[in-house]
Amino acid sequence: MLHRNSSLSPLLAPRSIALIGASENVARIGGRPLRYLREAGFKGAVYPVNPNRETVQGFKSYASVGVLPETPDVAILAVPSSGTIQALRECAERHVKAAIIFSAGFAETGDEGRAMQDEIAGIARESGMRVLGPNCLGVFNAATGYYGTFSAILDTEFVKPGPVAIISQSGAYGSHIAHLARQRGLGISHWITTGNECDIDVAEALQWVVGQPDTNVVIAYAEGIRNRDVFLEALDTARAKEKAIVFMKVGRSEVGAHAVSSHTAALAGSDAVFDAVFRQYGVYRARTTAEQLDVAYACSRGIYPAGDRLGIFTLSGGFGIQMADDAALAGLDVSPMPDAAQEELKAMLPYASPRNPVDATAQALTDLPLMTSYIRAMLEKGGYDMFAGIFGSGPASPTFAVSLRQALEGATAGQGGRILSLTMSASSEIVRSYEEKGFLVFEDGSALVNALGALAHFRKSFDAVKRATETLEEAPRLSLDGDTFSEYGAKSVLAKAGIAFPREALVRPDEDAGAAAATIGFPVVLKISSPDIAHKTEIGGVIVGVKDEDEARHAARTILDRVREKRPDALIEGLIVSPMITGGVETIAGVVRDPVFGPMVMFGLGGVFVEVLKDVTFRVAPFDRTEAHRMIREIRGFAMLEGVRGAPPADIDALAEMLSTLSRFAAANADMIESIDLNPVLVLPEGKGVALLDALLVLRKD
Amino acid sequence: MLHRNSSLSPLLAPRSIALIGASENVARIGGRPLRYLREAGFKGAVYPVNPNRETVQGFKSYASVGVLPETPDVAILAVPSSGTIQALRECAERHVKAAIIFSAGFAETGDEGRAMQDEIAGIARESGMRVLGPNCLGVFNAATGYYGTFSAILDTEFVKPGPVAIISQSGAYGSHIAHLARQRGLGISHWITTGNECDIDVAEALQWVVGQPDTNVVIAYAEGIRNRDVFLEALDTARAKEKAIVFMKVGRSEVGAHAVSSHTAALAGSDAVFDAVFRQYGVYRARTTAEQLDVAYACSRGIYPAGDRLGIFTLSGGFGIQMADDAALAGLDVSPMPDAAQEELKAMLPYASPRNPVDATAQALTDLPLMTSYIRAMLEKGGYDMFAGIFGSGPASPTFAVSLRQALEGATAGQGGRILSLTMSASSEIVRSYEEKGFLVFEDGSALVNALGALAHFRKSFDAVKRATETLEEAPRLSLDGDTFSEYGAKSVLAKAGIAFPREALVRPDEDAGAAAATIGFPVVLKISSPDIAHKTEIGGVIVGVKDEDEARHAARTILDRVREKRPDALIEGLIVSPMITGGVETIAGVVRDPVFGPMVMFGLGGVFVEVLKDVTFRVAPFDRTEAHRMIREIRGFAMLEGVRGAPPADIDALAEMLSTLSRFAAANADMIESIDLNPVLVLPEGKGVALLDALLVLRKD
């Protein structure tokens, strides 16, 4: 079989295309792609397959794939579901490299359809032929005129080639956003809809697309992800190559997730986990379609700001204030102009307010050369990474648009390293004229600032990869005696992986708990240790604050009596004697297995924080300490770890180290681990490390 | 003087207008309004005042206001700032009822301008003439052709009359949103810009507008509010009359608030307080201009859903899921169709997914009569308060738009009580054709659902007023001996207002603390009571867990010794002996004085919740228990009060009662109170009330 990545090229950049079920009628699924290929002037060979005709839409028609003069790179199947398997087999026999299946009527319709889809997947696997769909809208590549799709949005107009790739599980969503992108004047490189994903999924399409030099940004839509490894690899590649991914992942809500599970065959996974993966890999998760388009538009030039300082220029105070508010929300820095520069601007326009937002008042519009000098001074002295100018409907007048554009060009000449952006309410023709001069143009100021925040976000994410120096060592594999672990057993296993627990002793039921406690040092805690008892406190299996040997002996007897009474079935390993550690900040950590992403490390503040506020965060395992630091800082109650109410700062470094070690262990044993709970994890004052007071390790059943 | 409210009618609905500084040049500030009045066919009298001309733009011109044939209702001053005061005096002498001042160059420019503006305000006050501006863009009333403005957005086109009023402190913002509203096809009733607000402010304009029968919804913009009482009265009136207010209040962020203070003379107040006021009075606070317009559009018909159940109809699964996600965010209920109805729909379209979102698949489009029956069944059986149909660019084709519209009309006929909404990407002509049939039409699904959420929000807010039965009794006035209070003194004052504290004793330094403690019942807490000591713990002025009489005597001596050593200057009233109350949920409550809204009651969870998460909320005093319940439920950690970790539910009724009582006391003594701190307030289990363990009362200095 071909290498997976390169194997998508016949599908996405074919030299020859067969259209099976080609139709003369351009309104039909079998006619539309032929019309598009013809009108867009596709340079390669096009072979309609239709046994009933001599020609189709002016192309010579063939009776079957078998009789084509050459083996096509891709075959487009515009046949009903009932004829699909037969047609696909013929393609496989002819060694066609890739096939696109338009027809619906497969897994989405029930068991019978699912069986047919499985058969298609089997043909793909056995023949090495790659299959897109079924139930998809196909693909296109605007630059080569390759329109392997029947999407109706191309009825009126083709798209222009450009830096934006679109990958969508949903054909309708893909069509809609391509339509919006075209309206916005954005050029599209590749457009891929994956439908039922019996072979090629969004992850693999993404991986291919981020390797294409003509793509700067990817607009992606998915309801779930099938191939976790390829997906994460694609995200990694994108980040390393500085390609922005702007993702619409639906199924955030309970009702949405339920609808996903009935709509798609992909496992949805937990949405909180998706969210974490996007953060971890620097993917921008769009909340709305409008936002997705806005952010993709801002990224389309592949230029990112060096930092997050934003200079706002306005002719009306109100708009400037509104934009400053939005900037705070987007995490941008609207720091004031230096005092001396403010004085300089004051001298040019006495009634202006030159702090930042720099409000030149409407007066500036009456003297454009003055406005040019004013903005130039603002840019030269302000040191902003991004410039946003607010112009309203001023540029809407075609005559004024030209002089204003020249004034802005003059003001910003030689400021190429900066992101230059404007808001205006004008015709698309006028907007394009500003865009051609290097300005990002938005109608809405809030949308602009949000997109600038996204640019700063991508810059940080790209840079973080460049700076990363840590290599992740592989963790030891679990060696298993049984399938459940007592607390003591779990701790022993994790300790071998490098996770440090307080020194403690396991005392068998017939041994002297008093003597053992003395070696640990008082006060101590006594806990039952049994692989059968997960919730020790509930049956009185824990006694804290034990002060001397006698108390320890008495406590041991008490616990054993209680356990024997309440859980006579439980295998008793003995009692754990551990030092009584208090203080620090109570947190929790653990590992959960996500059906899509496998082992995810969870972290949160303990007690009411997790119970009331669900203040937890996740990361795909494994990850390094730097990523662990980012993870820890995502918690809403993070200030607790920095020290509140006079408490000293907690040992965040030690916590990060522990979380990274835990993640490496979870990754190395992903096939075996169901879950790990470390609760509580006391984060002690700086330099004193973390104290893990309890551990629960559950193995996978399957 | 006239009654304030009716006194705006000459300004906003004049029968006669003088334009002082009228110009023949329609591009000038003095020419533009005349052109607009002329072209829009204003029915009243128009008197240009220009001593240098016989006629202006075909109107007879007058040398001065004094020689006009009648006293005009309103005078529009299109003269430079230097000539404004003289012109205004002439208007006052002629008893003109209202004046609009366009010119800038007043308070916004510094001390000299401020002095001129104060003089204008003085003329207004003395003469009873109402003044709009200075530095404003004026007003218009589309229905009567009254365009008292020089806003450039009217250069190309007037606006159509309709149910939306726009009130904006900023002329630029007001113009921009009027332009966007016009683009959206929205009709505008009144448009008022208030500028520097030397007399009439946004609050008063709002109050007038919500009294107009032709207005359903108000789009408002402000950087601050000057007249708190009028503002709150206007919000109250709006709610009672079911007029929606959609507010853009800028200055949320630190930088934004700083820019406000340099841009406007209004006190900005705390943004968190504004936010609370909006919540309390059911005002919808828009985060972006686009959202403000979307919500106002949805409200423009003045029809609100009976509940928050949303039925989603889609032809593509992906869009339905996305909308379900958005609905969860908007607080809407996307509950499934009844099982029997699902079966019925299944029978009509076997491959459809009729749960909710109801996904009819693209197949439905191929058989419109079937789609009509399908949607009709969905509406009749689903019991949804709102219907949202997702149609993408389908209706963009004019021929299909008609048949689809007829199909939808057929499906929704007789469903008038429901909110009917659609998403589509089509020309404004096609969109209007659907709107005329009663559909709300949005291009973006997320924007639609957010707006539907706003409709449900308004419905709840309007209904809450109708249901309100509680009358707020006036609280007693503070009687003051000194200007600072000890803890004991503060508690005594608050107790008179009906706020209950645990029974406690004040023991003078020479009295027997032991005996007093015995009457309270052990264990007790001893605390120093001194008007000079606010932070008792810091100097060792509190001892808890005192178990018997001897301990009490010893504790009393210890505290007194410590206080005498550390604060020899402090006046010592004695020691408070109070019962040692533990348990319950720790909360805090208090009163702060906002520079705009006066006494605001604050509530939050205590301890780390308030310190780390700043999880507090506010209400304008006074308010009833129902409002207090809403306030308590706004806290992110509210679940703490419902009982977590096996704790019993807390006495939320008692807490609400206490907060309402506190608010009445704060309102009755607003002129005297600087702040009140009740920390901690333990909310005990249901039926056991609240225990207020400490009180701090600080009076206003001025």
Side-chain angles (χ1 to χ4, degrees):
Chain A
M1 242 173 79
L2 298 164
H3 180 256
R4 262 184 170 277
N5 191 15
S6 65
S7 74
L8 291 194
S9 292
L11 173 74
L12 299 171
R15 288 153 307 173
S16 50
I17 304 167
L19 176 60
I20 300 167
S23 167
E24 186 73 14
N25 182 345
V26 296
R28 302 193 63 160
I29 284 181
R32 227 180 261 246
L34 203 56
R35 178 195 144 199
Y36 295 158
L37 288 165
R38 183 165 45 81
E39 291 182 358
F42 174 66
K43 289 287 181 298
V46 178
Y47 302 112
V49 175
N50 182 333
N52 304 322
R53 301 186 62 96
E54 288 291 307
T55 64
V56 187
Q57 296 185 38
F59 290 92
K60 174 171 167 39
S61 177
Y62 296 85
S64 72
V65 172
V67 303
L68 295 182
E70 65 169 320
T71 296
D73 278 347
V74 67
I76 300 171
L77 276 65
V79 296
S81 56
S82 56
T84 297
I85 288 173
Q86 176 56 27
L88 198 69
R89 283 201 197 286
E90 287 172 24
C91 291
E93 278 157 22
R94 183 70 203 252
H95 303 295
V96 173
K97 298 193 188 75
I100 298 171
I101 303 175
F102 288 157
S103 177
F106 293 92
E108 81 281 8
T109 61
D111 290 341
E112 202 179 321
R114 173 170 300 281
M116 283 206 293
Q117 185 168 317
D118 289 346
E119 204 174 336
I120 292 173
I123 296 170
R125 226 174 12 248
E126 286 156 24
S127 64
M129 179 173 63
R130 303 307 308 270
V131 174
L132 188 70
N135 192 17
C136 78
L137 244 54
V139 303
F140 68 68
N141 177 337
T144 63
Y146 167 43
Y147 284 94
T149 176
F150 64 100
S151 173
I153 62 153
L154 302 162
D155 248 357
T156 46
E157 203 187 337
F158 289 121
V159 303
K160 69 172 193 203
V164 181
I166 296 175
I167 297 173
S168 177
Q169 200 176 340
S170 156
Y173 192 90
S175 294
H176 183 62
I177 197 132
H179 162 71
L180 295 176
R182 180 177 58 185
Q183 252 184 359
R184 186 72 170 265
L186 275 173
I188 297 173
S189 58
H190 303 86
W191 181 86
I192 308 167
T193 65
T194 56
N196 285 11
E197 302 192 337
C198 84
D199 176 25
I200 297 164
D201 68 351
V202 160
E204 200 176 348
L206 192 62
Q207 193 192 30
W208 189 85
V209 147
V210 296
Q212 303 304 307
D214 50 354
T215 297
N216 285 335
V217 51
V218 185
I219 287 176
Y221 168 98
E223 292 159 23
I225 289 295
R226 280 178 174 75
N227 195 330
R228 172 239 197 228
D229 292 344
V230 174
F231 185 61
L232 297 182
E233 206 181 300
L235 301 188
D236 253 341
T237 308
R239 195 153 54 156
K241 288 179 184 277
E242 305 206 349
K243 315 252 169 164
I245 298 176
V246 191
F247 217 108
M248 172 58 69
K249 153 71 177 70
V250 296
R252 290 191 304 256
S253 64
E254 212 177 305
V255 176
H258 189 282
V260 163
S261 65
S262 72
H263 179 244
T264 174
L267 275 169
S270 147
D271 192 72
V273 164
F274 260 100
D275 218 56
V277 170
F278 289 148
R279 279 199 304 276
Q280 184 170 351
Y281 285 82
V283 173
Y284 191 92
R285 183 172 191 180
R287 287 157 293 187
T288 68
T289 303
E291 184 192 24
Q292 189 177 29
L293 196 70
D294 283 332
V295 171
Y297 167 77
C299 295
S300 61
R301 290 156 201 245
I303 304 169
Y304 298 90
D308 52 13
R309 284 163 57 89
L310 170 65
I312 299 170
F313 175 84
T314 182
L315 303 166
S316 155
F319 287 116
I321 298 164
Q322 196 185 7
M323 191 173 273
D325 287 345
D326 290 331
L329 218 60
L332 298 177
D333 173 8
V334 187
S335 50
M337 294 283 292
D339 288 344
Q342 289 195 38
E343 287 307 315
E344 201 176 308
L345 293 181
K346 267 278 184 211
M348 292 167 78
L349 273 171
Y351 293 161
S353 172
R355 198 175 188 265
N356 187 23
V358 174
D359 175 7
T361 76
Q363 217 189 327
L365 274 187
T366 61
D367 183 350
L368 289 179
L370 176 74
M371 194 182 79
T372 296
S373 321
Y374 199 83
I375 294 179
R376 173 170 286 283
M378 174 187 167
L379 284 172
E380 283 172 357
K381 309 287 165 61
Y384 299 114
D385 305 304
M386 292 169 271
F387 167 83
I390 305 170
F391 287 93
S393 44
S397 132
T399 46
F400 190 62
V402 174
S403 54
L404 181 62
R405 196 184 67 223
Q406 285 163 349
L408 285 167
E409 264 186 83
T412 56
Q415 304 290 336
R418 307 223 160 97
I419 302 290
L420 302 171
S421 64
L422 306 171
T423 65
M424 63 179 70
S425 212
S427 70
S428 55
E429 201 187 348
I430 288 171
V431 168
R432 299 294 165 266
S433 75
Y434 280 85
E435 288 174 337
E436 278 160 20
K437 299 301 177 184
F439 295 98
L440 294 170
V441 181
F442 283 72
E443 175 139 13
D444 188 71
S446 303
L448 164 60
V449 170
N450 185 60
L452 294 178
L455 289 180
H457 152 88
F458 280 118
R459 175 78 277 151
K460 270 180 213 152
S461 163
F462 297 155
D463 286 352
V465 173
K466 279 192 215 126
R467 276 198 312 269
T469 50
E470 228 175 303
T471 37
L472 286 175
E473 274 174 55
E474 205 142 306
R477 289 278 293 169
L478 252 171
S479 74
L480 298 175
D481 301 334
D483 57 353
T484 53
F485 291 90
S486 65
E487 175 182 338
Y488 194 78
K491 285 176 172 172
S492 308
V493 167
L494 292 167
K496 278 182 210 139
I499 294 174
F501 291 89
R503 193 172 85 85
E504 54 192 24
L506 180 68
V507 185
R508 271 185 291 274
D510 56 347
E511 289 178 337
D512 178 11
T519 66
I520 297 294
F522 293 101
V524 297
V525 181
L526 264 70
K527 295 188 275 190
I528 190 71
S529 185
S530 160
D532 302 321
I533 300 173
H535 302 288
K536 297 178 279 283
T537 314
E538 288 171 14
I539 58 157
V542 180
I543 295 182
V544 302
V546 175
K547 294 201 197 70
D548 57 37
E549 293 194 23
D550 279 349
E551 260 192 49
R553 283 181 202 110
H554 184 254
R557 273 192 304 275
T558 308
I559 289 175
L560 290 170
D561 288 349
R562 286 173 182 164
V563 172
R564 282 176 189 134
E565 187 200 324
K566 289 184 183 148
R567 291 291 304 275
D569 58 306
L571 174 73
I572 297 174
E573 279 183 359
L575 293 156
I576 297 173
V577 184
S578 47
M580 177 88 188
I581 301 172
T582 54
V585 179
E586 190 184 330
T587 68
I588 57 169
V591 174
V592 292
R593 193 167 65 86
D594 183 77
V596 174
F597 290 103
M600 301 290 302
V601 173
M602 186 271 284
F603 169 71
L605 284 172
V608 292
F609 279 97
V610 62
E611 288 180 51
V612 177
L613 302 172
K614 319 287 180 219
D615 189 13
V616 297
T617 182
F618 297 92
R619 282 295 182 279
V620 180
F623 52 84
D624 64 16
R625 289 181 303 238
T626 311
E627 191 64 39
H629 269 281
R630 275 195 285 269
M631 179 185 190
I632 295 164
R633 280 167 176 76
E634 273 172 21
I635 292 287
R636 276 184 281 159
F638 172 68
M640 285 293 287
L641 291 165
E642 296 181 301
V644 289
R645 293 182 147 185
D651 199 336
I652 299 171
D653 285 339
L655 177 63
E657 172 90 46
M658 188 278 284
L659 290 170
S660 171
T661 304
L662 180 65
S663 80
R664 289 189 294 113
F665 176 73
N669 299 285
D671 54 335
M672 285 184 275
I673 295 172
E674 182 62 38
S675 68
I676 300 174
D677 274 289
L678 302 173
N679 179 11
V681 174
L682 299 183
V683 189
L684 303 174
E686 252 172 20
K688 302 212 189 286
V690 292
L692 286 73
L693 303 193
D694 198 353
L696 190 64
L697 169 60
V698 178
L699 296 184
R700 287 181 66 166
K701 290 276 186 317
D702 50 4
Chain B
M1 241 173 80
L2 297 166
H3 180 256
R4 263 184 169 274
N5 192 17
S6 65
S7 73
L8 292 194
S9 294
L11 172 73
L12 297 172
R15 287 153 308 173
S16 50
I17 304 167
L19 176 61
I20 300 167
S23 168
E24 187 71 14
N25 183 344
V26 297
R28 302 194 63 162
I29 286 180
R32 224 181 263 245
L34 203 55
R35 178 195 143 200
Y36 295 157
L37 290 164
R38 183 165 44 81
E39 292 182 357
F42 175 66
K43 289 287 181 298
V46 177
Y47 303 110
V49 174
N50 182 334
N52 304 319
R53 301 186 62 96
E54 288 291 309
T55 64
V56 187
Q57 296 185 38
F59 290 92
K60 174 171 165 43
S61 176
Y62 296 86
S64 71
V65 172
V67 302
L68 295 181
E70 64 169 321
T71 296
D73 278 346
V74 66
I76 300 172
L77 276 64
V79 296
S81 57
S82 57
T84 296
I85 288 173
Q86 176 56 28
L88 198 69
R89 281 200 197 286
E90 288 172 24
C91 291
E93 279 158 23
R94 184 69 203 254
H95 303 295
V96 173
K97 297 193 189 73
I100 298 171
I101 304 176
F102 287 158
S103 178
F106 293 91
E108 82 281 7
T109 61
D111 290 342
E112 204 179 318
R114 173 169 300 281
M116 285 206 293
Q117 184 168 317
D118 289 346
E119 207 174 332
I120 292 172
I123 296 169
R125 221 169 19 244
E126 286 157 25
S127 65
M129 178 172 64
R130 303 307 309 270
V131 174
L132 188 70
N135 192 19
C136 78
L137 242 55
V139 303
F140 69 68
N141 177 336
T144 64
Y146 166 43
Y147 284 95
T149 176
F150 64 101
S151 174
I153 62 153
L154 302 162
D155 248 358
T156 47
E157 202 186 338
F158 289 120
V159 303
K160 68 172 191 199
V164 181
I166 296 175
I167 297 173
S168 178
Q169 200 175 342
S170 157
Y173 192 90
S175 294
H176 182 62
I177 197 130
H179 162 72
L180 295 177
R182 180 177 58 187
Q183 254 183 357
R184 186 71 169 265
L186 276 173
I188 298 173
S189 57
H190 303 87
W191 181 87
I192 308 168
T193 65
T194 56
N196 285 11
E197 302 191 335
C198 84
D199 175 25
I200 297 163
D201 67 352
V202 161
E204 201 176 347
L206 192 62
Q207 195 192 29
W208 188 84
V209 148
V210 296
Q212 302 305 307
D214 50 354
T215 297
N216 284 335
V217 51
V218 186
I219 288 177
Y221 168 99
E223 293 160 22
I225 289 295
R226 279 177 173 76
N227 195 330
R228 173 241 196 228
D229 292 344
V230 174
F231 185 62
L232 297 182
E233 206 180 301
L235 301 188
D236 254 341
T237 308
R239 195 153 52 157
K241 287 178 184 278
E242 303 207 350
K243 314 254 169 164
I245 299 177
V246 191
F247 217 107
M248 171 60 68
K249 152 71 177 66
V250 296
R252 290 192 304 255
S253 65
E254 211 178 306
V255 176
H258 189 280
V260 163
S261 65
S262 72
H263 179 243
T264 175
L267 274 169
S270 149
D271 192 72
V273 164
F274 261 100
D275 218 56
V277 171
F278 289 148
R279 278 198 304 276
Q280 185 170 351
Y281 284 83
V283 172
Y284 190 92
R285 183 174 190 178
R287 288 155 294 187
T288 68
T289 302
E291 185 191 22
Q292 189 176 29
L293 196 69
D294 283 331
V295 172
Y297 167 77
C299 296
S300 60
R301 290 156 201 244
I303 304 168
Y304 298 89
D308 51 14
R309 285 165 56 89
L310 171 66
I312 300 171
F313 175 83
T314 182
L315 304 166
S316 156
F319 287 116
I321 299 164
Q322 195 185 9
M323 191 172 272
D325 287 345
D326 290 331
L329 217 61
L332 298 178
D333 173 8
V334 186
S335 51
M337 294 284 292
D339 288 344
Q342 289 195 36
E343 286 309 314
E344 200 175 309
L345 292 180
K346 267 278 185 209
M348 293 167 79
L349 273 172
Y351 293 162
S353 172
R355 198 174 188 266
N356 188 22
V358 173
D359 175 8
T361 76
Q363 217 188 325
L365 274 187
T366 61
D367 183 351
L368 290 179
L370 176 73
M371 193 180 81
T372 296
S373 322
Y374 199 83
I375 294 178
R376 172 170 289 282
M378 173 186 169
L379 283 172
E380 283 171 357
K381 311 286 166 62
Y384 300 114
D385 306 303
M386 292 168 272
F387 167 82
I390 305 172
F391 287 93
S393 43
S397 131
T399 45
F400 191 62
V402 175
S403 54
L404 182 62
R405 195 185 65 222
Q406 285 163 348
L408 286 167
E409 264 186 82
T412 56
Q415 303 291 336
R418 307 220 161 101
I419 302 289
L420 302 170
S421 64
L422 306 170
T423 64
M424 64 178 68
S425 212
S427 71
S428 56
E429 203 187 345
I430 289 171
V431 168
R432 297 296 162 268
S433 75
Y434 281 85
E435 287 173 339
E436 278 159 20
K437 300 301 176 184
F439 295 99
L440 293 172
V441 181
F442 284 73
E443 174 140 16
D444 187 71
S446 303
L448 164 60
V449 171
N450 186 61
L452 294 179
L455 289 181
H457 152 90
F458 280 117
R459 176 77 278 151
K460 271 180 212 152
S461 164
F462 297 154
D463 286 351
V465 172
K466 278 191 218 129
R467 277 198 310 270
T469 50
E470 229 175 302
T471 37
L472 286 174
E473 273 174 55
E474 206 142 308
R477 290 276 295 167
L478 251 170
S479 77
L480 298 174
D481 302 333
D483 56 352
T484 54
F485 291 90
S486 66
E487 176 182 337
Y488 194 79
K491 284 176 173 173
S492 309
V493 168
L494 292 166
K496 278 182 212 139
I499 294 175
F501 292 88
R503 193 172 85 84
E504 54 191 26
L506 180 67
V507 185
R508 269 186 293 276
D510 56 347
E511 290 178 337
D512 179 11
T519 67
I520 297 296
F522 294 101
V524 298
V525 181
L526 266 70
K527 296 187 274 190
I528 189 71
S529 184
S530 161
D532 302 322
I533 299 173
H535 303 287
K536 297 177 279 285
T537 314
E538 288 171 14
I539 58 156
V542 180
I543 294 181
V544 302
V546 175
K547 294 201 197 70
D548 57 35
E549 292 197 24
D550 278 349
E551 258 192 51
R553 284 181 201 109
H554 183 255
R557 275 193 304 275
T558 308
I559 290 176
L560 289 169
D561 289 349
R562 285 173 183 166
V563 172
R564 282 176 188 131
E565 187 201 324
K566 289 186 183 146
R567 293 290 306 275
D569 58 307
L571 173 72
I572 297 174
E573 279 183 358
L575 292 157
I576 298 173
V577 183
S578 45
M580 177 86 190
I581 300 172
T582 53
V585 179
E586 191 185 329
T587 68
I588 57 171
V591 175
V592 292
R593 193 167 63 86
D594 182 76
V596 174
F597 290 103
M600 302 290 302
V601 172
M602 186 270 285
F603 169 71
L605 284 172
V608 293
F609 278 98
V610 61
E611 288 179 48
V612 176
L613 302 172
K614 319 285 179 222
D615 189 14
V616 297
T617 182
F618 297 91
R619 280 295 182 281
V620 180
F623 51 85
D624 64 16
R625 289 181 303 237
T626 311
E627 190 65 36
H629 269 281
R630 275 194 285 269
M631 179 187 192
I632 294 165
R633 279 166 178 75
E634 273 173 22
I635 291 287
R636 275 184 282 159
F638 171 67
M640 285 292 288
L641 290 164
E642 294 181 301
V644 290
R645 294 182 149 185
D651 198 336
I652 299 172
D653 284 339
L655 177 63
E657 171 91 47
M658 188 278 285
L659 290 170
S660 172
T661 304
L662 180 64
S663 80
R664 291 189 293 112
F665 176 73
N669 298 285
D671 53 334
M672 285 184 275
I673 295 172
E674 181 63 38
S675 68
I676 299 173
D677 274 290
L678 302 173
N679 179 10
V681 174
L682 298 183
V683 189
L684 302 174
E686 251 172 20
K688 302 212 188 290
V690 292
L692 287 73
L693 302 193
D694 199 352
L696 191 64
L697 169 60
V698 179
L699 296 183
R700 287 182 66 167
K701 291 275 183 319
D702 49 3

